[in-house]
Amino acid sequence: MIKKPFLPLLAALIIFALTMGSAVFAQSINQGVSREDFINYLKETYYEVKKEGELSTTQSPVNYGWQRVVKDGFGNLNNEYPWTMKAYTNKDGREWLYVGTMNQNARATGGTAEVWRSQDGENFEFVRYLAGFTGVRGMTEHAGLLWLGTLKQTDNPDDGCQIWVTDGTRWKVASLPGFEVGAQSTRGIAKFQDELYTDAGQLVGEESAQIFKYEGTVLEGDLDSINPASWVSVTPPEWGPSHPINSVGEMIEFKGSLYAGTWSVSYWGGSTPANGCEVWRYTPSTSPAWVQVSESGFGRADNVSILSMSVFKEKLYAGTQRFTPGQLVARRGGELWRWDGESLGGDGKPAWERVIRWGDPEGEGLRRGNMYMWSMIEYDDQLLVGTHNMFNGGELWASYTGDTASFRQISEPGMRRDTHRVPVCVTTETSEKEKIYLSELYGVRSLAKFKNKLYVGMASWAYFVDGMVFSPYAVPVPGMEEGFNLGCPDEPPGPFGFYMHSPYVGCEIWRIEHLPETLPVDAFPVKAYPNPCYLGEQRGVVIDYLPQDARVFIYTISGELVRTLEPAQSLPDRVIWDGKNEKGELVARGIYIYIVTSPSLSVSGKIAIIK
């Protein structure tokens, strides 16, 4: 957001800047290209000044076959996630793609979870609100009906999550509130041996999650045959105070058994210990029916949750969320594990294999900051994994084999390169506020196949999150005496007293028929922001999306070297230029050029400094 107009002199200028049409030229800068040639090259391409004073190129987003079919949260910017998507065909043969949203602003404005659907995958119609529920968290088709699991609003203490069901025309509540055990969320819902199972999660509080099986009558496509009181607990007897399980992130059938991936993490200041996620196998014909088949956290307690599971080429894949207090600095990410359901290690335990360690500096080379393996699906004979990456934007990766080092990125971070960047401030070790920028489209939350196309649901920040996270005021949170606040003092609050970043996006849905094999090296362009930068009011310019082993050179428009920057080990894909030269002096206002060089890629761009 621009805080003041350009100075008249600057506003009157057509600004010279550099675009790199060829990586070869940027490399030649370091090999001694003449000053005259360098300056002439700066003048080859012009940029216009917007009325607000922002600089922009004429380049439009390049999406490599991806098509956006939903934007702006279906017209409601409080719709933060397309939380779940599912293709459903009713008994009359009508086929739809259903979408259930997450709407966290329910308490503040009366909004609530929404259900949308489309017959062609392009034009979506509103179906209904689910009053009293923050979101639709899971969907599956069973007995010719579509079953939906919900997350209750936290200010409804007498209620709980519920299962809803539809035949495409009518709707019915298919479970008692909270399954009569105070359950708050249903996320894992699956069909196994032609019967329906669901979890009853406890995201807040000390009670352990449960798993329920529907044992009532249900006739094909007949809502009236469903008895909401016919759910029976089949929970592993080990789950409880001595073995707490918060929730079941995913359930899936694999080689004749039902597998459940769990969460074990303390939410909102609770005292439940975070032992790490687990995988449990349910085989009704054996004794015991439930067996834990993975080590807690796959050997590390910070693998707190299993968020996605998929069966691919006769192996079961599980994607985790890793969370530690230092995560925002360390940029550590989720992991991807697999097992064939049979192999045992030398210790006699199931031999799970770690495929990907996203986010670790010692990981397998994929982009850091992928905190969740948030969604997973098999499509076009490939395994697809969607990530949560608040720094760079949610990413989609694909592999023909599922093996380590076989995954390739098939979407831009945040799905489009004009994604808005959200400024937030975090407290550093010196207790100073450090401004960082988050991607608005930060996660691939849901994946679905519909009429021979892949659909990708992208999560964004919402009004409610703006008010809670980006407020300039400390927001009370249980267990945090000083409250929670990532607001930046130098960013102007919006009309309601907090930063209104979400109006830029709302959740989105994208689709594609044939996955791209590879993306060109410029698919993930280096970005510099804020641009223009008002020195004295902003801490500096972030130069983001740097390739591995990059160095950044700042030049004046006349070709004089101003500063050389290298990323810190903890933040290897970005640098922050504080507007100073090598002597520590603030530079004059004007246009500056940055050159990024690395063994794999060299690019360049422009920065406008305003005082």
Side-chain angles (χ1 to χ4, degrees), residues 10-308:
L10 184 59
L13 295 177
I14 298 296
I15 300 174
F16 295 115
L18 174 64
T19 56
M20 184 55 68
S22 167
V24 175
F25 183 83
Q27 292 171 344
S28 71
I29 297 280
N30 291 332
Q31 299 171 0
V33 68
S34 72
R35 177 188 174 103
E36 182 179 355
D37 288 342
F38 178 48
I39 295 175
N40 287 338
Y41 190 81
L42 297 180
K43 299 178 180 179
E44 286 182 1
T45 306
Y46 290 81
Y47 289 76
E48 295 181 348
V49 180
K50 291 184 178 181
K51 291 181 180 179
E52 300 88 350
E54 293 185 89
L55 299 175
S56 66
T57 73
T58 58
Q59 183 180 15
S60 61
V62 180
N63 294 311
Y64 312 103
W66 292 97
Q67 177 191 9
R68 184 173 61 188
V69 294
V70 171
K71 64 177 182 177
D72 300 331
F74 294 96
N76 181 352
L77 297 174
N78 293 316
N79 281 323
E80 181 180 355
Y81 300 172
W83 213 348
T84 183
M85 295 191 291
K86 183 70 177 178
Y88 164 61
T89 303
N90 73 355
K91 64 180 181 180
D92 298 326
R94 299 184 67 187
E95 184 178 9
W96 295 279
L97 177 65
Y98 272 79
V99 181
T101 74
M102 176 186 183
N103 188 320
Q104 292 199 82
N105 209 41
R107 288 181 296 169
T109 65
T112 188
E114 299 180 5
V115 180
W116 293 75
R117 71 182 181 186
S118 174
Q119 286 191 289
D120 60 8
E122 186 170 352
N123 299 290
F124 283 79
E125 62 177 349
F126 174 75
V127 178
R128 67 172 299 142
Y129 295 109
L130 294 184
F133 301 97
T134 300
V136 180
R137 213 166 189 203
M139 290 186 194
T140 196
E141 185 174 351
H142 172 62
L145 301 168
L146 183 66
W147 303 68
L148 302 87
T150 62
L151 172 68
K152 75 161 190 174
Q153 291 180 19
T154 56
D155 58 353
N156 289 341
D158 298 327
D159 297 327
C161 62
Q162 289 184 322
I163 303 294
W164 287 67
V165 65
T166 182
D167 60 4
T169 302
R170 300 168 57 210
W171 286 77
K172 182 176 181 177
V173 176
S175 72
L176 299 178
F179 294 89
E180 295 192 300
V181 295
Q184 300 150 357
S185 171
T186 290
R187 191 182 195 277
I189 180 170
K191 186 163 65 175
F192 169 58
Q193 295 181 348
D194 205 33
E195 295 182 295
L196 189 64
Y197 291 77
T198 184
D199 84 299
Q202 303 285 357
L203 294 186
V204 181
E206 310 303 329
E207 298 296 326
S208 189
Q210 297 191 39
I211 294 179
F212 287 86
K213 174 185 176 182
Y214 181 77
E215 291 193 344
T217 300
V218 54
L219 302 178
E220 188 74 14
D222 184 5
L223 290 176
D224 296 327
S225 66
I226 297 172
N227 181 0
S230 294
W231 295 88
V232 176
S233 176
V234 293
T235 307
E238 295 86 350
W239 293 9
S242 62
H243 195 117
I245 300 294
N246 293 107
S247 182
V248 175
E250 196 77 68
M251 291 198 293
I252 191 170
E253 185 172 359
F254 176 58
K255 292 188 175 180
S257 297
L258 179 67
Y259 284 76
T262 73
W263 296 16
S264 179
V265 60
S266 176
Y267 278 90
W268 301 111
S271 59
T272 303
N275 299 320
C277 60
E278 298 169 353
V279 180
W280 288 72
R281 179 173 63 193
Y282 177 66
T283 311
S285 60
T286 66
S287 182
W290 283 101
V291 178
Q292 184 178 342
V293 293
S294 76
E295 187 179 1
S296 297
F298 296 102
R300 56 189 312 159
D302 62 357
N303 268 322
V304 294
S305 307
I306 290 177
L307 296 175
S308 58

Side-chain angles (χ1 to χ4, degrees), residues 62-64 394 409-417 519 523-524:
V62 180
N63 294 311
Y64 312 103
Q409 191 170 345
I410 60 171
S411 73
E412 295 185 14
M415 194 56 76
R416 52 191 179 89
R417 55 176 68 176
L519 299 185
F524 317 111

Side-chain angles (χ1 to χ4, degrees), residues 365-426:
L366 303 183
R367 289 190 66 88
R368 299 177 174 93
N370 286 318
M371 297 179 185
Y372 304 177
M373 303 299 102
W374 216 1
S375 54
M376 210 181 310
I377 197 172
E378 180 181 352
Y379 181 79
D380 199 19
D381 199 33
Q382 300 175 63
L383 179 64
L384 274 59
V385 180
T387 75
H388 174 299
N389 190 321
M390 68 173 66
F391 299 102
N392 299 320
E395 302 170 354
L396 192 62
W397 293 78
S399 169
Y400 286 102
T401 65
D403 298 331
T404 300
S406 69
F407 284 83
R408 68 191 192 281
Q409 191 170 345
I410 60 171
S411 73
E412 295 185 14
M415 194 56 76
R416 52 191 179 89
R417 55 176 68 176
D418 61 344
T419 298
H420 182 63
R421 305 290 283 180
V422 178
V424 299
C425 284
V426 297

